Amino acid sequence: MEFSIKSRSPEILKTACAVVGVYEQRKLTPAAKALDLASEGGLAGILKRGDLDAKAGSTLMLHNLPGLACERVLMVSLGKEGEVNDKAYLDAVRAAVKAASGTGAAEAAMFLVEVPVGGRGADWKAEQIVLSAGEALYRFDRLKSQKDESRPSLGKLTLVVGADEAKAAKAAVARGQAIVNGVNLAKDLGNLPGNHCTPTYLADQAKDLAKAHKLKIQVLEQKDLEKLGMGSFLSVAKGSDQPPKFVVLQYHGGAKAEQPVVLVGKGITFDSGGISLKPAAEMDEMKYDMCGAASVLGTMQAVAELKLPLNVVGLIPTCENLPNGSANKPGDIVTSMSGQTIEVLNTDAEGRLILCDALTYAERFEPAAVIDIATLTGACVIALGHVVSGLLANDDALAREVYVAGEEAGDRCWQLPLLDDYQELLKSNFADMANIGGRAGGTITASAFLSRFAKKYKWAHLDIAGTAWKSGKEKGGTGRPVPLLVHFLAGRAKK
Ligand code: BES
Ligand code: MN
Ligand code: ZN
């Protein structure tokens, strides 16, 4: 999909499809009004018949209106004038993109940036339009022998903005485009099944990314990890025939001495639970247990595309969690790279076992901040559902910054308390800690565990168990939290 920005009156703009908003009670937006005037009441006349539902996101396509340079007019309902909030706006934009791409039109022009939305600027609106278009046009059919016939023909979208908004909108479209590319990369990797997306495949993808964008890359192998003493990570990997990999990706866009932001992504390419085997229902969805890693790759790609002026390191510990004869057993005690020992009471709590060694490895970069991203706990899905990601941090200012980035990006998260009181739940009689803290507060005890390995820097943790993919009929990766992370880093780069 290609995007461009133009400032032009709607009646003279040549396009296959002009998209304009309509408020409740058939009140026309300025662009709709201009088309109505030029077509001598063409829009108002049809609205009067009541064919357009007033609910935000309803659409109606008009053909062959006289006096206009466009071939079609797509009207989209916005709800009450003066009361368009984020959700109503996004519903309208999504519906409009879907309706426009359901026609034969190869391109369309949207007049929706002019719609006032709470306190949102033209930049937010332009970016959200790009993200919605990316979402509507995404397909994953590379493993089907018959490719998807319903692939839309819409290939170009023009955002029409006021002349004074053009500059901000242009930057927002570039950011949106980079985010869409990153989201699509993360979705593709997530959607690929475990027999295709192995730890080796993931590492090779990171190498391809490094090559395409001139990033520095190192892939640590089993023997390197042994030398580093990553006994916790390796204990998870040894239950499978696939060799583990540890990806170190570095993007240098800032000053040499500037401290980097380190992103750490959980890369379990399939989580069977190990000896603490998961039940069979929906176990296929555990191919998505590498979505944290995928979001790190998607974000690094976006950062490189945008040439953000800062330094970013991406760390990806990746392996499978399977139950062969050498697998971790409940009760086994492993020694992490930090020297702390861990009693593995449940082999299905493997994410924290691979992340803890990556967090220790992160120390060598003297990071400005570390954010880990992980499909870490089923408990997070119970606590927060599929709307927001879980956020925990050892620094309130960092937590705030991550939260705000999520709000701006439309990729929200919600903070849970990382209080010391939860630490005692991890007590073990035989090792420094256990890898589980019981059923209650499972998301918090998981991050309480991680916090023991993140003492040397400011650290935030995103639990994306409920947001990284959708189940059911719409099953598929979401690419979250790439939008949040790109906004976070773009915000840092500006400072
Ligand atoms: N990858 C899972 C978490 C998960 C489960 C994400 C379901 C999304 C949906 C993780 O490795 C895991 O199995 N966690 C356990 C932890 C428990 C054993 C303390 C869980 O959540 O059940
Ligand atoms: Mn697990
Ligand atoms: Zn897992």
Side-chain angles (χ1 to χ4, degrees), residues 274-486:
I275 296 294
S276 313
L277 195 65
K278 286 182 181 296
E282 278 123 50
M283 208 210 269
D284 66 292
E285 296 188 5
M286 283 298 115
K287 71 175 181 179
Y288 289 112
D289 213 16
M290 35 53 70
C291 283
S295 77
V296 171
L297 293 179
T299 301
M300 298 287 288
Q301 176 181 287
V303 165
E305 271 182 35
L306 293 170
K307 301 193 168 64
L308 291 183
L310 86 171
N311 298 331
V312 185
V313 178
L315 299 180
I316 297 175
T318 173
C319 67
E320 294 180 321
N321 186 22
L322 288 180
N324 75 12
S326 352
N328 265 336
K329 301 172 291 299
D332 282 2
I333 293 178
V334 301
T335 304
S336 67
M337 183 179 171
S338 73
Q340 299 178 90
T341 59
I342 304 160
E343 185 181 16
V344 182
L345 287 178
N346 189 320
T347 66
D348 197 11
E350 85 298 339
R352 61 199 81 180
L353 293 177
I354 76 168
L355 290 171
C356 68
D357 282 341
L359 289 173
T360 301
Y361 188 86
E363 287 173 7
R364 68 186 55 204
F365 299 100
E366 294 176 19
V370 176
I371 304 177
D372 81 75
I373 307 102
T375 47
L376 202 63
T377 62
C380 193
V381 189
I382 303 302
L384 299 174
H386 303 286
V387 177
V388 293
S389 303
L391 164 66
L392 298 104
N394 65 8
D395 182 89
D396 279 336
L398 177 61
R400 178 82 203 152
E401 203 180 334
V402 173
Y403 172 79
V404 169
E407 289 295 304
E408 279 175 2
D411 180 8
R412 301 167 70 192
C413 60
W414 197 260
Q415 194 177 3
L416 298 172
L418 181 60
L419 301 174
D420 275 342
D421 309 55
Y422 292 93
Q423 290 292 351
E424 48 197 78
L425 297 168
L426 296 171
K427 200 180 158 303
S428 157
N429 284 356
F430 307 108
D432 297 343
M433 70 195 89
N435 77 328
I436 53 170
R439 274 170 57 80
T443 303
I444 304 178
T445 50
S447 53
F449 177 98
L450 293 178
S451 73
R452 297 180 181 216
F453 302 84
K455 291 224 159 95
K456 303 223 167 107
Y457 43 71
K458 292 175 181 165
W459 161 76
H461 160 69
L462 286 168
D463 194 327
I464 57 168
T467 52
W469 75 91
K470 290 182 188 160
S471 309
K473 242 180 91 184
E474 305 260 274
K475 193 188 288 183
T478 62
R480 293 176 69 181
V482 170
L484 178 156
L485 293 170
V486 174

